[in-house]
Amino acid sequence: MEEKKFDLNSIIGFALIFGILMWIMYQNQPTEQELAAEKAKKEQVDKDAKTVKTENTPIQSVVIDTTQTDSTQLAKLKGSLGNFAYSATLPSAKNDFTTIENELLSLKIANKGGYIVDATLKNFEQFYKGSGSLVKIIKENNASLNLKLQTADNRALDTKNLYFEPTLTKEGANQVLTMRLKSAANAYLEYRYVLKPKEYMLDFSIRSQGMNGVLNASKPLDLEWDLKTYRNEKSVTYENRYAEIVYEYEDGKDSYTSQSGLTTDDAKDVTYVAYKQHFFTSILLTDTPFATAKMTSENLVKDEKIDTVFTKQYSSIIPLAFKGGEINYNMNWYYGPTDYRILNDYKRNLDEIVPLGWGIFGWINRYVFIPTYDFLADFFPYGIAIIVFTILIRLVMSPITYKSYLSQAKMKVLRPEIAELNEKYKNDAMKKQQETMKLYGKAGVNPMAGCIPAVLQIPVFYALFQFFPSAIDLRQKSFLWADDLSSFDAVLHLPFYIPFYGNHVSLFPILASVAIFFYMKMTTGDQQMAAPTQEGMPDMGKIMKVMIYISPLMMLFFFNNYASGLSLYYFVSNTITIGIMLVIKNYIVDNDKIHAKIQENKAKPKSESKFQRKMREMMEQAEEQKALKAKKK
C-alpha cells in the first residue's frame, strides 16, 4: 500500500482554513459593554436563585425572631399603656388619616385619637367670595375629642394620645368609618362615623366591647371636646359678637354662654352642645341625654387690631356613664352653616341656635320675616329683595305711623289752651293737672295715643335687628358697592384705627344716619310743638334737640362694622317713613278740621270711663288732703 504524503497545496489549504477560523473568532469576541451586561445577568440569576432558596426555607425561624421582637416591644409598652399596649403594636399605630366626604362636607379622621382633625365645607369660602380658601371649621390642631380612661389597673390614659385602627366600608350610599382602640383582638373602644350623601349631619357613636375587665366602670368616663374657632368673616368684631355656645337641657330648654370674657355654665340632661361661630356651627347631639355637662367659653379677641385669627376658645366636659360595664352612646355630629332652614328641618330644636330673638320677636322672624324674605329672594337679587322687603314692612306699618302723627297733630292744636292752663295754675300743680286732664277728656284727645304706636313698632324693630345678622343667605352676596351684605361695605380704608368705629368707612351707615337725622328733625319738631313743658319735669324739647344729633352719630359708629344689609334696611326704611309722613301731613291730616272736631267734641256732654273717674277721684282726694294740711298750718 502506498503511503499518503502531504503536498504543498495541502499545506497551503490548511493554513488558509486556520487563518479564516482565527479571523472569525476575533470578529465574534464580545465587547466590554457586552461582558458587563453578561456579568450583571449572571449576578441577577444568582440573586434569584438565592431568593428561591430563602422562600423554600421553613419560616419557623423567622416567626420566632419576630415574636421575640414583638414580645419585647409589647412588654415595654405595657409598662406605660397597660392592656392598650396592644393597639400600639398594630400596623395602624402611625400618624395616618382617613377621609370621608360627600357633596357638602369633607372630614379627615386621624388614627391617633380617632377624632376629626379637618372639617371642610365645600360650598363656602372664607372672608370673601373668590378668596380661594374654603371654610374649615377644624384644621391645624384647633380641635380635639378625648376620653379620660381610668383602667382597672389604676392607669389614667387619654384617647387623644392613643392609636385607633380604622376600617372604612359602605352601607348603600353611606360611608361608614369605624375607629377602634384595641386592648386585644376582640376587645376595643370604638368611634363609629356614618356620613350620608348631601348631609352636614353625620351619625356618631361611642361604644365599647370586652372592656369590662379593662376599664374601671365604677365612675363615668369624661368626654372632653375642645375647639378654638378660626375667624371666617371680614369683620372679626362683628363675627365675634355672634360667637357663643348654645345648648339644650332639661326637656327642651335652651341657653347660651356669655359672648365676652371667660364664662362657664353647668347644665343637666343636656341633649346637644353647639359651638357657634356666627355663620357656621359645630354641634354634638345625643340620643341619650348627658346627665351633666360643663361648658366653658373664652373670648380670644382682646384687641381687635391684633387678635384677628381666632375668636373663641370653647371646651366641654361631659361624663359618659357605663351600663353593664360597657359604654354605649348614639350621637350625631353637625358641621355646617348656621342656617335656620337647615337646622329647623332636623326637628331637634336646633333652630334655637340661630339668634332670632325670644318670645314675640322670634315668632315674628320665624313666621313672618323669614318666609317673606325667602319668597322675595326667589324673584329678586338679594339687595333688591331687601328694598322690596322694607317697602312692604313700611306699608304694613303705615296705619300705625298715621295714628302716631294724628295724635301729635291733635296735641299741637291743643297746645295754646294747655299753655293757658299752665299759666293760670302755675302755682298749683295738682289743679293744673286736673284741668289739663279735663281738657283732654272734653276734646276727645288721648295724650298716650302717640306713645302706643311707637310701642307697637318695637317688636318689629327688634325682630329686624335680629333677622339681618342671622340671615346667612346675605353672606357674600353683593349689591351696588357692597360686596357682602352680611358684612360692612367699606368704601374707604383708613391708615389708623378709631375706637368703636374701626379702620374703614362704610357708606350705608352714613346714608342711614342722614335719613335718621332728617326723620328725627321732622318728628321731633312736631313733638316739641305738641307737648308743652310740665312744671317740675325736664324740658323734653331741649333733650330732643340734642338727640337729633346724638342718635345719627350713634348709628354711624355702631353700624360701621355691622352687616351692610341691615344699614341698607334702615336707610330705605327711614327714607320711606319720611315720605309717608310728608304725604300724611300735606294731603291727609288737616289741622283746621282737627281743630273744628276738637271744639265739637268739647261741646258734647262726655261720660267718664271708669279709669277717668278713678283718676278724677284720686286727684280730688289729693286736693282735699292738701287743703286740710293748709288749714292745720
Side-chain angles (χ1 to χ4, degrees), residues 228-456:
K228 190 176 183 180
T229 59
Y230 276 97
R231 168 193 169 196
N232 289 306
E233 311 304 326
K234 287 198 316 183
S235 172
V236 65
T237 305
Y238 190 54
E239 179 179 2
N240 197 39
R241 185 177 289 116
Y242 294 95
E244 60 190 357
I245 297 178
V246 183
Y247 57 93
E248 183 184 64
Y249 67 105
E250 295 179 1
D251 297 327
K253 298 178 183 177
D254 59 88
S255 188
Y256 53 89
T257 57
S258 173
Q259 296 172 343
S260 60
L262 178 64
T263 306
T264 299
D265 283 5
D266 293 280
K268 296 180 179 179
D269 298 326
V270 176
T271 51
Y272 71 73
V273 178
Y275 291 169
K276 183 169 171 288
Q277 302 174 233
H278 193 187
F279 285 128
F280 304 99
T281 304
S282 310
I283 313 173
L284 177 62
L285 306 96
T286 177
D287 293 346
T288 303
F290 303 129
T292 61
K294 182 178 181 180
M295 295 143 292
T296 301
S297 173
E298 181 182 1
N299 181 25
L300 301 179
V301 183
K302 311 298 182 185
D303 188 336
E304 297 171 358
K305 301 187 294 294
I306 301 172
D307 303 324
T308 59
V309 178
F310 300 99
T311 55
K312 293 288 196 305
Q313 174 70 61
Y314 296 135
S315 63
S316 295
I317 300 176
I318 303 170
L320 303 182
F322 285 90
K323 291 183 180 179
E326 302 285 359
I327 288 286
N328 192 357
Y329 277 82
N330 292 321
M331 296 179 277
N332 297 92
W333 282 114
Y334 176 89
Y335 294 103
T338 313
D339 189 315
Y340 171 79
R341 290 168 294 275
I342 294 174
L343 295 175
N344 189 51
D345 285 344
Y346 288 113
K347 306 302 180 185
R348 298 179 70 172
N349 207 31
L350 298 180
D351 58 296
E352 295 296 336
I353 296 171
V354 184
L356 296 176
W358 54 271
I360 188 174
F361 312 116
W363 184 90
I364 291 172
N365 274 324
R366 285 179 175 86
Y367 303 111
V368 180
F369 289 163
I370 290 178
T372 302
Y373 185 77
D374 286 349
F375 175 78
L376 294 173
D378 288 338
F379 297 95
F380 302 101
Y382 286 91
I384 300 298
I386 291 176
I387 295 175
V388 177
F389 179 70
T390 308
I391 293 172
L392 290 176
I393 292 174
R394 296 319 306 171
L395 288 176
V396 171
M397 300 296 292
S398 58
I400 296 177
T401 304
Y402 170 74
K403 290 288 186 182
S404 178
Y405 187 85
L406 183 61
S407 176
Q408 292 177 20
K410 290 180 178 179
M411 294 293 292
K412 185 178 178 180
V413 170
L414 287 178
R415 181 180 175 87
E417 296 181 56
I418 294 173
E420 290 179 6
L421 292 176
N422 289 341
E423 180 64 26
K424 184 177 181 179
Y425 300 104
K426 61 182 178 180
N427 297 322
D428 192 343
M430 183 64 68
K431 185 65 175 177
K432 179 173 63 177
Q433 189 68 20
Q434 284 181 310
E435 295 300 320
T436 302
M437 293 301 294
K438 286 181 181 179
L439 175 62
Y440 287 150
K442 290 181 179 178
V445 174
N446 183 356
M448 298 300 295
C451 300
I452 294 174
V455 171
L456 292 176

Side-chain angles (χ1 to χ4, degrees), residues 67 201 267 271 333 345 377 435 460 514 545 566 572 599 604:
T67 304
M201 182 86 74
T271 51
W333 282 114
D345 285 344
E435 295 300 320
V460 174
V514 171
K545 283 181 180 179
L566 183 61
V572 176
Q599 298 305 319
K604 294 179 181 178

Side-chain angles (χ1 to χ4, degrees), residues 28 55 65 165 339 368 416 426 509 554:
N28 289 306
E55 290 176 350
D65 291 343
E165 183 180 56
D339 189 315
V368 180
K426 61 182 178 180
M554 290 175 61

